[in-house]
PDB file of all heavy atoms in Angstrom:
ATOM      1  N   ARG A   1     -11.873   3.533   0.965  1.00 97.00           N
ATOM      2  CA  ARG A   1     -12.189   4.205  -0.338  1.00 97.00           C
ATOM      3  C   ARG A   1     -11.455   5.486  -0.515  1.00 97.00           C
ATOM      4  O   ARG A   1     -10.901   5.815  -1.529  1.00 97.00           O
ATOM      5  CB  ARG A   1     -13.656   4.339  -0.619  1.00 97.00           C
ATOM      6  CG  ARG A   1     -14.474   3.108  -0.618  1.00 97.00           C
ATOM      7  CD  ARG A   1     -14.194   2.310  -1.804  1.00 97.00           C
ATOM      8  NE  ARG A   1     -14.604   2.972  -3.048  1.00 97.00           N
ATOM      9  CZ  ARG A   1     -14.207   2.816  -4.263  1.00 97.00           C
ATOM     10  NH1 ARG A   1     -13.294   1.844  -4.460  1.00 97.00           N
ATOM     11  NH2 ARG A   1     -14.703   3.407  -5.297  1.00 97.00           N
ATOM     12  N   VAL A   2     -11.322   6.202   0.580  1.00 98.00           N
ATOM     13  CA  VAL A   2     -10.517   7.506   0.536  1.00 98.00           C
ATOM     14  C   VAL A   2      -9.063   7.251   0.196  1.00 98.00           C
ATOM     15  O   VAL A   2      -8.417   7.830  -0.567  1.00 98.00           O
ATOM     16  CB  VAL A   2     -10.725   8.238   1.801  1.00 98.00           C
ATOM     17  CG1 VAL A   2      -9.668   9.457   1.942  1.00 98.00           C
ATOM     18  CG2 VAL A   2     -12.130   8.768   1.927  1.00 98.00           C
ATOM     19  N   VAL A   3      -8.464   6.233   0.928  1.00 97.00           N
ATOM     20  CA  VAL A   3      -7.081   5.834   0.703  1.00 97.00           C
ATOM     21  C   VAL A   3      -6.866   5.330  -0.684  1.00 97.00           C
ATOM     22  O   VAL A   3      -5.920   5.787  -1.302  1.00 97.00           O
ATOM     23  CB  VAL A   3      -6.675   4.676   1.744  1.00 97.00           C
ATOM     24  CG1 VAL A   3      -5.304   4.166   1.451  1.00 97.00           C
ATOM     25  CG2 VAL A   3      -6.745   5.191   3.158  1.00 97.00           C
ATOM     26  N   ALA A   4      -7.827   4.652  -1.215  1.00 96.00           N
ATOM     27  CA  ALA A   4      -7.742   4.192  -2.616  1.00 96.00           C
ATOM     28  C   ALA A   4      -7.727   5.318  -3.559  1.00 96.00           C
ATOM     29  O   ALA A   4      -6.995   5.380  -4.529  1.00 96.00           O
ATOM     30  CB  ALA A   4      -8.790   3.186  -2.955  1.00 96.00           C
ATOM     31  N   ALA A   5      -8.577   6.338  -3.289  1.00 97.00           N
ATOM     32  CA  ALA A   5      -8.742   7.504  -4.200  1.00 97.00           C
ATOM     33  C   ALA A   5      -7.534   8.344  -4.117  1.00 97.00           C
ATOM     34  O   ALA A   5      -6.995   8.843  -5.235  1.00 97.00           O
ATOM     35  CB  ALA A   5      -9.916   8.351  -3.691  1.00 97.00           C
ATOM     36  N   VAL A   6      -6.867   8.498  -2.963  1.00 97.00           N
ATOM     37  CA  VAL A   6      -5.620   9.213  -2.898  1.00 97.00           C
ATOM     38  C   VAL A   6      -4.482   8.508  -3.531  1.00 97.00           C
ATOM     39  O   VAL A   6      -3.707   9.132  -4.238  1.00 97.00           O
ATOM     40  CB  VAL A   6      -5.275   9.333  -1.358  1.00 97.00           C
ATOM     41  CG1 VAL A   6      -3.755   9.923  -1.129  1.00 97.00           C
ATOM     42  CG2 VAL A   6      -6.268  10.351  -0.600  1.00 97.00           C
ATOM     43  N   ALA A   7      -4.500   7.201  -3.438  1.00 95.00           N
ATOM     44  CA  ALA A   7      -3.440   6.439  -4.116  1.00 95.00           C
ATOM     45  C   ALA A   7      -3.555   6.522  -5.653  1.00 95.00           C
ATOM     46  O   ALA A   7      -2.608   6.478  -6.368  1.00 95.00           O
ATOM     47  CB  ALA A   7      -3.540   4.925  -3.672  1.00 95.00           C
ATOM     48  N   THR A   8      -4.855   6.544  -6.144  1.00 95.00           N
ATOM     49  CA  THR A   8      -4.969   6.678  -7.563  1.00 95.00           C
ATOM     50  C   THR A   8      -4.579   8.067  -8.102  1.00 95.00           C
ATOM     51  O   THR A   8      -4.123   8.273  -9.131  1.00 95.00           O
ATOM     52  CB  THR A   8      -6.444   6.386  -7.913  1.00 95.00           C
ATOM     53  OG1 THR A   8      -6.830   5.079  -7.401  1.00 95.00           O
ATOM     54  CG2 THR A   8      -6.745   6.441  -9.409  1.00 95.00           C
ATOM     55  N   THR A   9      -4.877   9.034  -7.239  1.00 95.00           N
ATOM     56  CA  THR A   9      -4.609  10.483  -7.627  1.00 95.00           C
ATOM     57  C   THR A   9      -3.063  10.786  -7.581  1.00 95.00           C
ATOM     58  O   THR A   9      -2.616  11.489  -8.483  1.00 95.00           O
ATOM     59  CB  THR A   9      -5.399  11.427  -6.688  1.00 95.00           C
ATOM     60  OG1 THR A   9      -6.839  11.077  -6.813  1.00 95.00           O
ATOM     61  CG2 THR A   9      -5.222  12.824  -7.098  1.00 95.00           C
ATOM     62  N   VAL A  10      -2.448  10.323  -6.590  1.00 95.00           N
ATOM     63  CA  VAL A  10      -0.970  10.624  -6.384  1.00 95.00           C
ATOM     64  C   VAL A  10      -0.252   9.309  -6.693  1.00 95.00           C
ATOM     65  O   VAL A  10      -0.293   8.439  -5.907  1.00 95.00           O
ATOM     66  CB  VAL A  10      -0.730  11.160  -4.977  1.00 95.00           C
ATOM     67  CG1 VAL A  10       0.699  11.636  -4.899  1.00 95.00           C
ATOM     68  CG2 VAL A  10      -1.665  12.281  -4.594  1.00 95.00           C
ATOM     69  N   ARG A  11       0.457   9.349  -7.780  1.00 92.00           N
ATOM     70  CA  ARG A  11       1.205   8.075  -8.256  1.00 92.00           C
ATOM     71  C   ARG A  11       2.644   8.333  -8.544  1.00 92.00           C
ATOM     72  O   ARG A  11       3.006   8.462  -9.629  1.00 92.00           O
ATOM     73  CB  ARG A  11       0.410   7.477  -9.432  1.00 92.00           C
ATOM     74  CG  ARG A  11      -0.992   7.230  -9.232  1.00 92.00           C
ATOM     75  CD  ARG A  11      -1.714   6.889 -10.547  1.00 92.00           C
ATOM     76  NE  ARG A  11      -1.097   5.721 -11.114  1.00 92.00           N
ATOM     77  CZ  ARG A  11      -1.407   5.278 -12.386  1.00 92.00           C
ATOM     78  NH1 ARG A  11      -2.262   5.926 -13.183  1.00 92.00           N
ATOM     79  NH2 ARG A  11      -0.798   4.226 -12.801  1.00 92.00           N
ATOM     80  N   PRO A  12       3.479   8.506  -7.516  1.00 93.00           N
ATOM     81  CA  PRO A  12       4.856   8.659  -7.765  1.00 93.00           C
ATOM     82  C   PRO A  12       5.584   7.440  -8.337  1.00 93.00           C
ATOM     83  O   PRO A  12       5.093   6.268  -7.879  1.00 93.00           O
ATOM     84  CB  PRO A  12       5.448   9.049  -6.311  1.00 93.00           C
ATOM     85  CG  PRO A  12       4.473   8.363  -5.413  1.00 93.00           C
ATOM     86  CD  PRO A  12       3.125   8.464  -6.017  1.00 93.00           C
ATOM     87  N   ARG A  13       6.526   7.588  -9.179  1.00 94.00           N
ATOM     88  CA  ARG A  13       7.201   6.469  -9.608  1.00 94.00           C
ATOM     89  C   ARG A  13       8.237   5.872  -8.532  1.00 94.00           C
ATOM     90  O   ARG A  13       9.026   6.823  -7.956  1.00 94.00           O
ATOM     91  CB  ARG A  13       7.991   6.810 -10.929  1.00 94.00           C
ATOM     92  CG  ARG A  13       8.641   5.556 -11.592  1.00 94.00           C
ATOM     93  CD  ARG A  13       9.197   6.011 -12.962  1.00 94.00           C
ATOM     94  NE  ARG A  13       8.085   6.346 -13.864  1.00 94.00           N
ATOM     95  CZ  ARG A  13       7.374   5.483 -14.528  1.00 94.00           C
ATOM     96  NH1 ARG A  13       7.653   4.157 -14.414  1.00 94.00           N
ATOM     97  NH2 ARG A  13       6.428   5.877 -15.361  1.00 94.00           N
ATOM     98  N   PRO A  14       8.204   4.685  -8.226  1.00 96.00           N
ATOM     99  CA  PRO A  14       9.118   4.166  -7.236  1.00 96.00           C
ATOM    100  C   PRO A  14      10.600   4.335  -7.576  1.00 96.00           C
ATOM    101  O   PRO A  14      10.948   4.076  -8.780  1.00 96.00           O
ATOM    102  CB  PRO A  14       8.715   2.750  -6.997  1.00 96.00           C
ATOM    103  CG  PRO A  14       8.027   2.376  -8.247  1.00 96.00           C
ATOM    104  CD  PRO A  14       7.359   3.626  -8.734  1.00 96.00           C
ATOM    105  N   HIS A  15      11.454   4.742  -6.639  1.00 96.00           N
ATOM    106  CA  HIS A  15      12.837   4.857  -6.925  1.00 96.00           C
ATOM    107  C   HIS A  15      13.626   4.127  -5.817  1.00 96.00           C
ATOM    108  O   HIS A  15      14.871   4.295  -5.785  1.00 96.00           O
ATOM    109  CB  HIS A  15      13.337   6.343  -6.982  1.00 96.00           C
ATOM    110  CG  HIS A  15      12.985   7.141  -5.802  1.00 96.00           C
ATOM    111  ND1 HIS A  15      11.821   7.829  -5.540  1.00 96.00           N
ATOM    112  CD2 HIS A  15      13.809   7.367  -4.670  1.00 96.00           C
ATOM    113  CE1 HIS A  15      11.789   8.420  -4.428  1.00 96.00           C
ATOM    114  NE2 HIS A  15      12.977   8.245  -3.846  1.00 96.00           N
ATOM    115  N   ARG A  16      12.870   3.453  -4.924  1.00 96.00           N
ATOM    116  CA  ARG A  16      13.529   2.608  -3.872  1.00 96.00           C
ATOM    117  C   ARG A  16      13.205   1.180  -4.019  1.00 96.00           C
ATOM    118  O   ARG A  16      12.423   0.836  -4.908  1.00 96.00           O
ATOM    119  CB  ARG A  16      13.186   3.188  -2.496  1.00 96.00           C
ATOM    120  CG  ARG A  16      13.621   4.582  -2.189  1.00 96.00           C
ATOM    121  CD  ARG A  16      13.064   5.146  -0.954  1.00 96.00           C
ATOM    122  NE  ARG A  16      14.073   5.895  -0.198  1.00 96.00           N
ATOM    123  CZ  ARG A  16      13.756   6.552   1.006  1.00 96.00           C
ATOM    124  NH1 ARG A  16      12.539   6.681   1.403  1.00 96.00           N
ATOM    125  NH2 ARG A  16      14.652   7.258   1.595  1.00 96.00           N
ATOM    126  N   ASP A  17      13.724   0.397  -3.167  1.00 95.00           N
ATOM    127  CA  ASP A  17      13.534  -1.077  -3.239  1.00 95.00           C
ATOM    128  C   ASP A  17      12.136  -1.511  -2.944  1.00 95.00           C
ATOM    129  O   ASP A  17      11.292  -0.788  -2.479  1.00 95.00           O
ATOM    130  CB  ASP A  17      14.489  -1.804  -2.284  1.00 95.00           C
ATOM    131  CG  ASP A  17      15.972  -1.641  -2.558  1.00 95.00           C
ATOM    132  OD1 ASP A  17      16.276  -1.343  -3.724  1.00 95.00           O
ATOM    133  OD2 ASP A  17      16.806  -1.740  -1.641  1.00 95.00           O
ATOM    134  N   ARG A  18      11.850  -2.793  -3.377  1.00 97.00           N
ATOM    135  CA  ARG A  18      10.511  -3.344  -3.116  1.00 97.00           C
ATOM    136  C   ARG A  18      10.388  -3.682  -1.606  1.00 97.00           C
ATOM    137  O   ARG A  18      11.224  -4.225  -0.911  1.00 97.00           O
ATOM    138  CB  ARG A  18      10.376  -4.580  -3.964  1.00 97.00           C
ATOM    139  CG  ARG A  18       9.061  -5.372  -3.573  1.00 97.00           C
ATOM    140  CD  ARG A  18       8.688  -6.466  -4.613  1.00 97.00           C
ATOM    141  NE  ARG A  18       8.308  -5.779  -5.829  1.00 97.00           N
ATOM    142  CZ  ARG A  18       7.854  -6.495  -6.861  1.00 97.00           C
ATOM    143  NH1 ARG A  18       7.654  -7.833  -6.776  1.00 97.00           N
ATOM    144  NH2 ARG A  18       7.435  -5.823  -8.003  1.00 97.00           N
ATOM    145  N   ILE A  19       9.227  -3.416  -1.087  1.00 97.00           N
ATOM    146  CA  ILE A  19       8.867  -3.738   0.297  1.00 97.00           C
ATOM    147  C   ILE A  19       7.508  -4.375   0.231  1.00 97.00           C
ATOM    148  O   ILE A  19       6.646  -3.990  -0.549  1.00 97.00           O
ATOM    149  CB  ILE A  19       8.642  -2.396   1.153  1.00 97.00           C
ATOM    150  CG1 ILE A  19       9.933  -1.562   1.045  1.00 97.00           C
ATOM    151  CG2 ILE A  19       8.264  -2.689   2.537  1.00 97.00           C
ATOM    152  CD1 ILE A  19      11.108  -2.236   1.704  1.00 97.00           C
ATOM    153  N   VAL A  20       7.335  -5.437   0.970  1.00 98.00           N
ATOM    154  CA  VAL A  20       6.066  -6.119   1.173  1.00 98.00           C
ATOM    155  C   VAL A  20       5.478  -5.758   2.516  1.00 98.00           C
ATOM    156  O   VAL A  20       6.118  -5.862   3.516  1.00 98.00           O
ATOM    157  CB  VAL A  20       6.307  -7.640   1.068  1.00 98.00           C
ATOM    158  CG1 VAL A  20       4.985  -8.375   1.375  1.00 98.00           C
ATOM    159  CG2 VAL A  20       6.697  -8.037  -0.332  1.00 98.00           C
ATOM    160  N   VAL A  21       4.219  -5.441   2.480  1.00 98.00           N
ATOM    161  CA  VAL A  21       3.432  -5.142   3.729  1.00 98.00           C
ATOM    162  C   VAL A  21       2.292  -6.101   3.771  1.00 98.00           C
ATOM    163  O   VAL A  21       1.575  -6.187   2.837  1.00 98.00           O
ATOM    164  CB  VAL A  21       2.935  -3.666   3.710  1.00 98.00           C
ATOM    165  CG1 VAL A  21       2.159  -3.322   5.031  1.00 98.00           C
ATOM    166  CG2 VAL A  21       4.030  -2.602   3.544  1.00 98.00           C
ATOM    167  N   ALA A  22       2.020  -6.678   5.022  1.00 96.00           N
ATOM    168  CA  ALA A  22       1.017  -7.657   5.165  1.00 96.00           C
ATOM    169  C   ALA A  22       0.553  -7.697   6.577  1.00 96.00           C
ATOM    170  O   ALA A  22       1.332  -7.419   7.550  1.00 96.00           O
ATOM    171  CB  ALA A  22       1.500  -8.972   4.739  1.00 96.00           C
ATOM    172  N   CYS A  23      -0.696  -8.087   6.665  1.00 95.00           N
ATOM    173  CA  CYS A  23      -1.316  -8.409   8.048  1.00 95.00           C
ATOM    174  C   CYS A  23      -1.124  -9.916   8.236  1.00 95.00           C
ATOM    175  O   CYS A  23      -1.429 -10.681   7.361  1.00 95.00           O
ATOM    176  CB  CYS A  23      -2.759  -8.023   8.074  1.00 95.00           C
ATOM    177  SG  CYS A  23      -3.056  -6.261   7.878  1.00 95.00           S
ATOM    178  N   MET A  24      -0.526 -10.282   9.380  1.00 89.00           N
ATOM    179  CA  MET A  24      -0.293 -11.728   9.607  1.00 89.00           C
ATOM    180  C   MET A  24      -1.572 -12.495   9.716  1.00 89.00           C
ATOM    181  O   MET A  24      -2.727 -11.946   9.902  1.00 89.00           O
ATOM    182  CB  MET A  24       0.588 -11.892  10.876  1.00 89.00           C
ATOM    183  CG  MET A  24       0.001 -11.316  12.078  1.00 89.00           C
ATOM    184  SD  MET A  24       1.238 -11.244  13.389  1.00 89.00           S
ATOM    185  CE  MET A  24       2.574 -10.152  12.689  1.00 89.00           C
ATOM    186  N   ASP A  25      -1.521 -13.833   9.628  1.00 89.00           N
ATOM    187  CA  ASP A  25      -2.598 -14.683   9.677  1.00 89.00           C
ATOM    188  C   ASP A  25      -3.462 -14.375  10.878  1.00 89.00           C
ATOM    189  O   ASP A  25      -2.996 -14.395  11.958  1.00 89.00           O
ATOM    190  CB  ASP A  25      -2.091 -16.113   9.664  1.00 89.00           C
ATOM    191  CG  ASP A  25      -3.163 -17.140   9.243  1.00 89.00           C
ATOM    192  OD1 ASP A  25      -4.310 -16.714   8.928  1.00 89.00           O
ATOM    193  OD2 ASP A  25      -2.874 -18.273   9.165  1.00 89.00           O
ATOM    194  N   GLY A  26      -4.829 -14.191  10.605  1.00 87.00           N
ATOM    195  CA  GLY A  26      -5.742 -13.925  11.679  1.00 87.00           C
ATOM    196  C   GLY A  26      -5.869 -12.492  12.033  1.00 87.00           C
ATOM    197  O   GLY A  26      -6.684 -12.199  12.877  1.00 87.00           O
ATOM    198  N   GLU A  27      -5.144 -11.580  11.384  1.00 89.00           N
ATOM    199  CA  GLU A  27      -5.198 -10.177  11.602  1.00 89.00           C
ATOM    200  C   GLU A  27      -6.069  -9.517  10.558  1.00 89.00           C
ATOM    201  O   GLU A  27      -5.638  -9.503   9.335  1.00 89.00           O
ATOM    202  CB  GLU A  27      -3.836  -9.526  11.643  1.00 89.00           C
ATOM    203  CG  GLU A  27      -3.735  -8.011  11.794  1.00 89.00           C
ATOM    204  CD  GLU A  27      -4.529  -7.616  13.008  1.00 89.00           C
ATOM    205  OE1 GLU A  27      -4.045  -7.820  14.059  1.00 89.00           O
ATOM    206  OE2 GLU A  27      -5.664  -7.016  12.897  1.00 89.00           O
ATOM    207  N   TRP A  28      -7.284  -9.007  10.920  1.00 91.00           N
ATOM    208  CA  TRP A  28      -8.221  -8.567   9.982  1.00 91.00           C
ATOM    209  C   TRP A  28      -8.319  -6.986   9.955  1.00 91.00           C
ATOM    210  O   TRP A  28      -9.027  -6.455   9.155  1.00 91.00           O
ATOM    211  CB  TRP A  28      -9.611  -9.189  10.275  1.00 91.00           C
ATOM    212  CG  TRP A  28      -9.542 -10.615  10.022  1.00 91.00           C
ATOM    213  CD1 TRP A  28      -9.485 -11.617  10.960  1.00 91.00           C
ATOM    214  CD2 TRP A  28      -9.644 -11.297   8.763  1.00 91.00           C
ATOM    215  NE1 TRP A  28      -9.539 -12.850  10.337  1.00 91.00           N
ATOM    216  CE2 TRP A  28      -9.611 -12.706   9.057  1.00 91.00           C
ATOM    217  CE3 TRP A  28      -9.731 -10.909   7.430  1.00 91.00           C
ATOM    218  CZ2 TRP A  28      -9.653 -13.674   8.028  1.00 91.00           C
ATOM    219  CZ3 TRP A  28      -9.846 -11.864   6.447  1.00 91.00           C
ATOM    220  CH2 TRP A  28      -9.849 -13.273   6.739  1.00 91.00           C
ATOM    221  N   HIS A  29      -7.585  -6.351  10.832  1.00 89.00           N
ATOM    222  CA  HIS A  29      -7.527  -4.872  10.868  1.00 89.00           C
ATOM    223  C   HIS A  29      -6.549  -4.409   9.739  1.00 89.00           C
ATOM    224  O   HIS A  29      -5.360  -4.125  10.150  1.00 89.00           O
ATOM    225  CB  HIS A  29      -7.190  -4.397  12.265  1.00 89.00           C
ATOM    226  CG  HIS A  29      -8.153  -4.817  13.276  1.00 89.00           C
ATOM    227  ND1 HIS A  29      -8.166  -5.984  13.866  1.00 89.00           N
ATOM    228  CD2 HIS A  29      -9.205  -4.062  13.854  1.00 89.00           C
ATOM    229  CE1 HIS A  29      -9.198  -6.087  14.796  1.00 89.00           C
ATOM    230  NE2 HIS A  29      -9.829  -4.954  14.726  1.00 89.00           N
ATOM    231  N   ALA A  30      -7.019  -4.293   8.607  1.00 94.00           N
ATOM    232  CA  ALA A  30      -6.035  -4.000   7.528  1.00 94.00           C
ATOM    233  C   ALA A  30      -5.843  -2.577   7.256  1.00 94.00           C
ATOM    234  O   ALA A  30      -4.767  -2.157   6.543  1.00 94.00           O
ATOM    235  CB  ALA A  30      -6.571  -4.677   6.208  1.00 94.00           C
TER     236      ALA A  30
END
């Protein structure tokens, strides 16, 4: 919830390429 609050408060406009971040199948430590 803290990470979400920080993300909502600080919202820079992206100026670099798109990146996908994911936890692989079976990885629940997100």
Side-chain angles (χ1 to χ4, degrees):
R1 295 291 294 160
V2 170
V3 174
V6 171
T8 301
T9 302
V10 185
R11 302 171 59 190
R13 185 173 295 277
H15 58 272
R16 291 171 141 175
D17 294 338
R18 172 167 293 186
I19 304 296
V20 172
V21 180
C23 297
M24 58 193 62
D25 200 359
E27 176 57 70
W28 294 99
H29 297 82

